[in-house]
Amino acid sequence: MNTSCKANAEQFRSIMNLCNPNLTKIHRGNFGKGFLPFLSRNCQKEVKGGRSGKSNVILSLSSSSTQNHVEMAAQDQGEGLTYKDAGVDIDAGSELVRRIAKMAPGIGGFGGLFPLGDSYLEAGTDGVGTKLKLALETGIHETIGVDLVAMSVNDIVTSGAKPLFFLDYFATSHLEVDLTEKVIKGIVDGCQQSDCALLGGETAEMPDFYADGEYDLSGFAVGIMKKDSVIDGKNIAVGDVLLGLPSSGVNSNGFSLVRRVLERSGLSLKDNLPGSSFTLGEALMAPTVIYVKQILDIISKGGVKGIAHITGGGFNDNIPRVFPKGLGALIYNDSWVVPPVFKWIQEAGKIEDIEMRRTFNMGIGMVIVVSKEVALRTLSEENGANTRYHIGEVVTGNGVSYQY
């Protein structure tokens, strides 16, 4: 464990952030090999304002994505791209979930619970979307399996479930053994990171259904927790603190829009990410962080009230999923380091802030809701291996608001 003066000083500043949100200092943590290159070179950033009495711009969105509204927003210039322009309609997806919920009440969480004695099994399923297109274009297939595992296990851990096992589905036009082996190795790696077993899966060869050389992936995770330890957000209260765990980049959501931005920019995946020594392909293909061990460690110390996995829909659609009615989230802008890849996406696509926040994770992959006391403890325990940011608070209202 690194107990240098610098590390201790950073921990002290994190604690002070909680006590004085008007002066926030944030820093880059150690993600481990492979993640650091995609974070800002700025290890420390000073932010003034917040609740200091200065005029703030508040952007507020309803927890229902079909009733999003803007109270105050900066005027953006130019005709920017949207996720809908790229062919993905978040509102349509939300409407489908609403209709399904009528047929199967209880659906809408990050995973599904099934009673088993004094425990619950929790199951989740997901894919990696059109990030697969970039895997094919870049030739980077070794980490797409990590993304696949991450999208399911990160979902089920939000209720406190420890992943037990994982299964995968791999479909392609014609089986290319070497390529498929690389993908499966990534899945094995992801399972090791989340401490769950890979039980098996299904390989489907489907000529004429997929284009030559293309493949598709989906995955299924099952975990377990005691019934009396389910994290369901029911005890969340006004004044509770929102802690953010950093992402490695775009993760596995929003790539239909990313690909449209790439096309508009005139750059290729082999070109450097502006301001970086890494290529766009490397930055965009950074594997999704698997938060399981970190989250379960935080949960084991008590006091966690709610957890939101920030995937498609960003903060605006995911944080409200764990809140009781009548409560909303106030996010402190500039309270964490936004990876440079998001800045490039926004500038190259002329994308409005509201669209960025509703499409991408913006550098925060998980949001944990705790009391102020637990937040102080959690921030003080940070040892450099896992960075945690104080990114906001619970307020009266609905949806997500942003404080400049």
Side-chain angles (χ1 to χ4, degrees), residues 259-293:
R259 291 185 298 109
R260 188 65 63 87
V261 170
L262 186 65
E263 181 182 334
R264 171 182 279 196
S265 74
L267 298 178
S268 76
L269 292 167
K270 295 181 180 179
D271 290 321
N272 279 4
L273 173 68
S276 169
S277 60
F278 299 90
T279 68
L280 279 167
E282 291 169 334
L284 293 171
M285 289 301 295
T288 305
V289 178
I290 291 180
Y291 297 96
V292 170
K293 292 180 180 178

Short mmCIF file of all heavy atoms in Angstrom, two decimals, residues 259-293:
data_model
loop_
_atom_site.label_atom_id
_atom_site.label_comp_id
_atom_site.label_asym_id
_atom_site.label_seq_id
_atom_site.Cartn_x
_atom_site.Cartn_y
_atom_site.Cartn_z
N ARG A 259 -19.70 6.64 -33.68
CA ARG A 259 -19.31 6.33 -35.06
C ARG A 259 -19.75 7.43 -36.02
O ARG A 259 -19.05 7.74 -36.98
CB ARG A 259 -19.89 4.97 -35.47
CG ARG A 259 -19.24 3.81 -34.74
CD ARG A 259 -19.70 2.45 -35.24
NE ARG A 259 -21.13 2.24 -35.03
CZ ARG A 259 -22.04 2.21 -35.99
NH1 ARG A 259 -21.68 2.40 -37.25
NH2 ARG A 259 -23.30 1.99 -35.71
N ARG A 260 -20.90 8.04 -35.74
CA ARG A 260 -21.35 9.17 -36.57
C ARG A 260 -20.42 10.37 -36.40
O ARG A 260 -20.11 11.07 -37.37
CB ARG A 260 -22.79 9.52 -36.21
CG ARG A 260 -23.44 10.55 -37.13
CD ARG A 260 -23.60 10.02 -38.54
NE ARG A 260 -24.48 8.87 -38.61
CZ ARG A 260 -25.81 8.94 -38.74
NH1 ARG A 260 -26.39 10.12 -38.82
NH2 ARG A 260 -26.52 7.83 -38.81
N VAL A 261 -19.99 10.61 -35.16
CA VAL A 261 -19.05 11.71 -34.89
C VAL A 261 -17.73 11.45 -35.61
O VAL A 261 -17.15 12.36 -36.21
CB VAL A 261 -18.82 11.86 -33.38
CG1 VAL A 261 -17.66 12.83 -33.11
CG2 VAL A 261 -20.09 12.34 -32.69
N LEU A 262 -17.25 10.21 -35.55
CA LEU A 262 -15.99 9.86 -36.20
C LEU A 262 -16.08 10.12 -37.70
O LEU A 262 -15.15 10.66 -38.31
CB LEU A 262 -15.69 8.38 -35.93
CG LEU A 262 -14.34 7.85 -36.42
CD1 LEU A 262 -13.20 8.54 -35.68
CD2 LEU A 262 -14.26 6.34 -36.22
N GLU A 263 -17.20 9.77 -38.28
CA GLU A 263 -17.41 9.99 -39.71
C GLU A 263 -17.40 11.48 -40.04
O GLU A 263 -16.78 11.92 -41.01
CB GLU A 263 -18.75 9.38 -40.12
CG GLU A 263 -19.09 9.52 -41.58
CD GLU A 263 -20.46 8.92 -41.90
OE1 GLU A 263 -20.91 8.01 -41.18
OE2 GLU A 263 -21.08 9.38 -42.88
N ARG A 264 -18.06 12.28 -39.19
CA ARG A 264 -18.12 13.72 -39.44
C ARG A 264 -16.75 14.37 -39.24
O ARG A 264 -16.40 15.33 -39.94
CB ARG A 264 -19.13 14.37 -38.48
CG ARG A 264 -19.09 15.89 -38.52
CD ARG A 264 -20.06 16.54 -37.54
NE ARG A 264 -21.42 16.59 -38.07
CZ ARG A 264 -22.38 17.36 -37.57
NH1 ARG A 264 -22.14 18.13 -36.51
NH2 ARG A 264 -23.58 17.36 -38.10
N SER A 265 -15.96 13.87 -38.31
CA SER A 265 -14.68 14.50 -37.96
C SER A 265 -13.65 14.41 -39.07
O SER A 265 -12.72 15.22 -39.14
CB SER A 265 -14.11 13.86 -36.70
OG SER A 265 -13.60 12.55 -36.96
N GLY A 266 -13.78 13.39 -39.95
CA GLY A 266 -12.80 13.21 -41.00
C GLY A 266 -11.55 12.48 -40.53
O GLY A 266 -10.63 12.24 -41.32
N LEU A 267 -11.51 12.10 -39.25
CA LEU A 267 -10.37 11.36 -38.71
C LEU A 267 -10.61 9.86 -38.84
O LEU A 267 -11.75 9.42 -39.01
CB LEU A 267 -10.16 11.72 -37.24
CG LEU A 267 -9.82 13.18 -36.93
CD1 LEU A 267 -9.69 13.39 -35.43
CD2 LEU A 267 -8.53 13.61 -37.64
N SER A 268 -9.54 9.11 -38.73
CA SER A 268 -9.66 7.66 -38.74
C SER A 268 -9.32 7.13 -37.34
O SER A 268 -8.79 7.86 -36.49
CB SER A 268 -8.71 7.04 -39.76
OG SER A 268 -7.38 7.04 -39.27
N LEU A 269 -9.62 5.87 -37.11
CA LEU A 269 -9.32 5.26 -35.82
C LEU A 269 -7.83 5.15 -35.57
O LEU A 269 -7.40 4.97 -34.42
CB LEU A 269 -9.96 3.87 -35.74
CG LEU A 269 -11.49 3.85 -35.69
CD1 LEU A 269 -12.02 2.45 -35.93
CD2 LEU A 269 -11.99 4.40 -34.35
N LYS A 270 -7.02 5.31 -36.62
CA LYS A 270 -5.56 5.26 -36.47
C LYS A 270 -4.97 6.61 -36.15
O LYS A 270 -3.80 6.72 -35.78
CB LYS A 270 -4.93 4.69 -37.75
CG LYS A 270 -5.29 3.23 -38.02
CD LYS A 270 -4.61 2.73 -39.28
CE LYS A 270 -4.97 1.26 -39.54
NZ LYS A 270 -4.32 0.75 -40.79
N ASP A 271 -5.77 7.67 -36.31
CA ASP A 271 -5.30 9.02 -35.96
C ASP A 271 -5.28 9.18 -34.45
O ASP A 271 -6.05 8.54 -33.73
CB ASP A 271 -6.21 10.08 -36.58
CG ASP A 271 -6.07 10.16 -38.09
OD1 ASP A 271 -4.93 10.03 -38.58
OD2 ASP A 271 -7.11 10.33 -38.77
N ASN A 272 -4.40 10.05 -33.97
CA ASN A 272 -4.32 10.29 -32.54
C ASN A 272 -5.55 11.03 -32.04
O ASN A 272 -6.09 11.91 -32.73
CB ASN A 272 -3.08 11.11 -32.20
CG ASN A 272 -1.82 10.25 -32.14
OD1 ASN A 272 -1.88 9.06 -32.41
ND2 ASN A 272 -0.71 10.85 -31.79
N LEU A 273 -5.97 10.68 -30.84
CA LEU A 273 -6.97 11.48 -30.15
C LEU A 273 -6.35 12.84 -29.94
O LEU A 273 -5.24 12.94 -29.39
CB LEU A 273 -7.31 10.83 -28.81
CG LEU A 273 -8.23 11.60 -27.87
CD1 LEU A 273 -9.64 11.67 -28.45
CD2 LEU A 273 -8.25 10.95 -26.49
N PRO A 274 -6.99 13.93 -30.38
CA PRO A 274 -6.40 15.27 -30.25
C PRO A 274 -5.91 15.54 -28.83
O PRO A 274 -6.62 15.32 -27.86
CB PRO A 274 -7.57 16.19 -30.63
CG PRO A 274 -8.36 15.38 -31.61
CD PRO A 274 -8.29 13.97 -31.09
N GLY A 275 -4.66 15.98 -28.74
CA GLY A 275 -4.07 16.28 -27.45
C GLY A 275 -3.52 15.07 -26.72
O GLY A 275 -3.12 15.16 -25.56
N SER A 276 -3.50 13.91 -27.40
CA SER A 276 -3.06 12.68 -26.75
C SER A 276 -2.07 11.95 -27.65
O SER A 276 -1.99 12.19 -28.85
CB SER A 276 -4.26 11.76 -26.48
OG SER A 276 -3.84 10.47 -26.08
N SER A 277 -1.27 11.07 -27.05
CA SER A 277 -0.34 10.26 -27.81
C SER A 277 -0.96 8.92 -28.20
O SER A 277 -0.29 8.07 -28.78
CB SER A 277 0.93 10.01 -26.99
OG SER A 277 0.62 9.33 -25.78
N PHE A 278 -2.25 8.74 -27.89
CA PHE A 278 -2.94 7.49 -28.19
C PHE A 278 -3.91 7.69 -29.34
O PHE A 278 -4.43 8.78 -29.55
CB PHE A 278 -3.67 6.98 -26.94
CG PHE A 278 -2.74 6.68 -25.81
CD1 PHE A 278 -2.43 7.67 -24.89
CD2 PHE A 278 -2.14 5.45 -25.68
CE1 PHE A 278 -1.55 7.42 -23.84
CE2 PHE A 278 -1.26 5.18 -24.65
CZ PHE A 278 -0.96 6.17 -23.73
N THR A 279 -4.16 6.62 -30.06
CA THR A 279 -5.06 6.72 -31.20
C THR A 279 -6.51 6.75 -30.74
O THR A 279 -6.84 6.35 -29.62
CB THR A 279 -4.88 5.53 -32.16
OG1 THR A 279 -5.33 4.33 -31.50
CG2 THR A 279 -3.43 5.38 -32.58
N LEU A 280 -7.37 7.22 -31.63
CA LEU A 280 -8.81 7.22 -31.34
C LEU A 280 -9.30 5.79 -31.12
O LEU A 280 -10.13 5.53 -30.25
CB LEU A 280 -9.57 7.86 -32.49
CG LEU A 280 -9.60 9.39 -32.51
CD1 LEU A 280 -10.11 9.90 -33.84
CD2 LEU A 280 -10.48 9.91 -31.37
N GLY A 281 -8.76 4.86 -31.92
CA GLY A 281 -9.16 3.47 -31.76
C GLY A 281 -8.84 2.93 -30.38
O GLY A 281 -9.66 2.27 -29.74
N GLU A 282 -7.65 3.24 -29.89
CA GLU A 282 -7.25 2.78 -28.55
C GLU A 282 -8.11 3.41 -27.46
O GLU A 282 -8.51 2.74 -26.50
CB GLU A 282 -5.77 3.10 -28.31
CG GLU A 282 -4.82 2.28 -29.16
CD GLU A 282 -3.39 2.79 -29.13
OE1 GLU A 282 -3.19 4.00 -28.88
OE2 GLU A 282 -2.47 1.98 -29.34
N ALA A 283 -8.37 4.70 -27.60
CA ALA A 283 -9.18 5.40 -26.59
C ALA A 283 -10.61 4.88 -26.56
O ALA A 283 -11.18 4.65 -25.48
CB ALA A 283 -9.17 6.90 -26.87
N LEU A 284 -11.19 4.68 -27.73
CA LEU A 284 -12.59 4.24 -27.81
C LEU A 284 -12.75 2.78 -27.41
O LEU A 284 -13.81 2.38 -26.93
CB LEU A 284 -13.13 4.48 -29.22
CG LEU A 284 -13.28 5.95 -29.63
CD1 LEU A 284 -13.62 6.05 -31.11
CD2 LEU A 284 -14.35 6.65 -28.78
N MET A 285 -11.73 1.98 -27.60
CA MET A 285 -11.81 0.56 -27.29
C MET A 285 -11.35 0.23 -25.87
O MET A 285 -11.30 -0.95 -25.49
CB MET A 285 -10.99 -0.26 -28.30
CG MET A 285 -11.60 -0.31 -29.70
SD MET A 285 -13.26 -1.04 -29.71
CE MET A 285 -12.88 -2.72 -29.20
N ALA A 286 -11.03 1.24 -25.06
CA ALA A 286 -10.64 0.97 -23.67
C ALA A 286 -11.72 0.12 -23.00
O ALA A 286 -12.91 0.47 -23.05
CB ALA A 286 -10.48 2.29 -22.92
N PRO A 287 -11.37 -1.00 -22.39
CA PRO A 287 -12.39 -1.89 -21.82
C PRO A 287 -13.12 -1.27 -20.63
O PRO A 287 -12.55 -0.49 -19.88
CB PRO A 287 -11.58 -3.12 -21.40
CG PRO A 287 -10.19 -2.61 -21.20
CD PRO A 287 -10.00 -1.53 -22.22
N THR A 288 -14.37 -1.64 -20.49
CA THR A 288 -15.21 -1.17 -19.39
C THR A 288 -14.64 -1.63 -18.05
O THR A 288 -14.23 -2.78 -17.91
CB THR A 288 -16.64 -1.71 -19.55
OG1 THR A 288 -17.13 -1.34 -20.84
CG2 THR A 288 -17.56 -1.18 -18.47
N VAL A 289 -14.63 -0.74 -17.09
CA VAL A 289 -14.18 -1.11 -15.74
C VAL A 289 -15.19 -2.08 -15.12
O VAL A 289 -16.41 -1.86 -15.19
CB VAL A 289 -14.06 0.13 -14.83
CG1 VAL A 289 -13.65 -0.28 -13.41
CG2 VAL A 289 -13.04 1.12 -15.40
N ILE A 290 -14.70 -3.15 -14.52
CA ILE A 290 -15.56 -4.06 -13.76
C ILE A 290 -15.46 -3.65 -12.29
O ILE A 290 -14.40 -3.74 -11.68
CB ILE A 290 -15.13 -5.52 -13.98
CG1 ILE A 290 -15.44 -5.93 -15.43
CG2 ILE A 290 -15.85 -6.45 -12.99
CD1 ILE A 290 -15.06 -7.35 -15.78
N TYR A 291 -16.58 -3.18 -11.74
CA TYR A 291 -16.59 -2.56 -10.41
C TYR A 291 -16.91 -3.54 -9.28
O TYR A 291 -16.99 -3.13 -8.12
CB TYR A 291 -17.63 -1.44 -10.37
CG TYR A 291 -17.34 -0.30 -11.32
CD1 TYR A 291 -17.94 -0.25 -12.58
CD2 TYR A 291 -16.48 0.72 -10.97
CE1 TYR A 291 -17.68 0.79 -13.46
CE2 TYR A 291 -16.22 1.78 -11.83
CZ TYR A 291 -16.83 1.80 -13.07
OH TYR A 291 -16.57 2.84 -13.93
N VAL A 292 -17.12 -4.80 -9.60
CA VAL A 292 -17.67 -5.75 -8.64
C VAL A 292 -16.91 -5.78 -7.32
O VAL A 292 -17.49 -5.60 -6.24
CB VAL A 292 -17.74 -7.16 -9.25
CG1 VAL A 292 -18.09 -8.19 -8.18
CG2 VAL A 292 -18.77 -7.20 -10.37
N LYS A 293 -15.62 -6.02 -7.37
CA LYS A 293 -14.85 -6.17 -6.13
C LYS A 293 -14.83 -4.86 -5.33
O LYS A 293 -14.95 -4.87 -4.11
CB LYS A 293 -13.44 -6.65 -6.44
CG LYS A 293 -13.39 -8.08 -6.97
CD LYS A 293 -11.97 -8.53 -7.27
CE LYS A 293 -11.95 -9.97 -7.80
NZ LYS A 293 -10.58 -10.43 -8.13
#
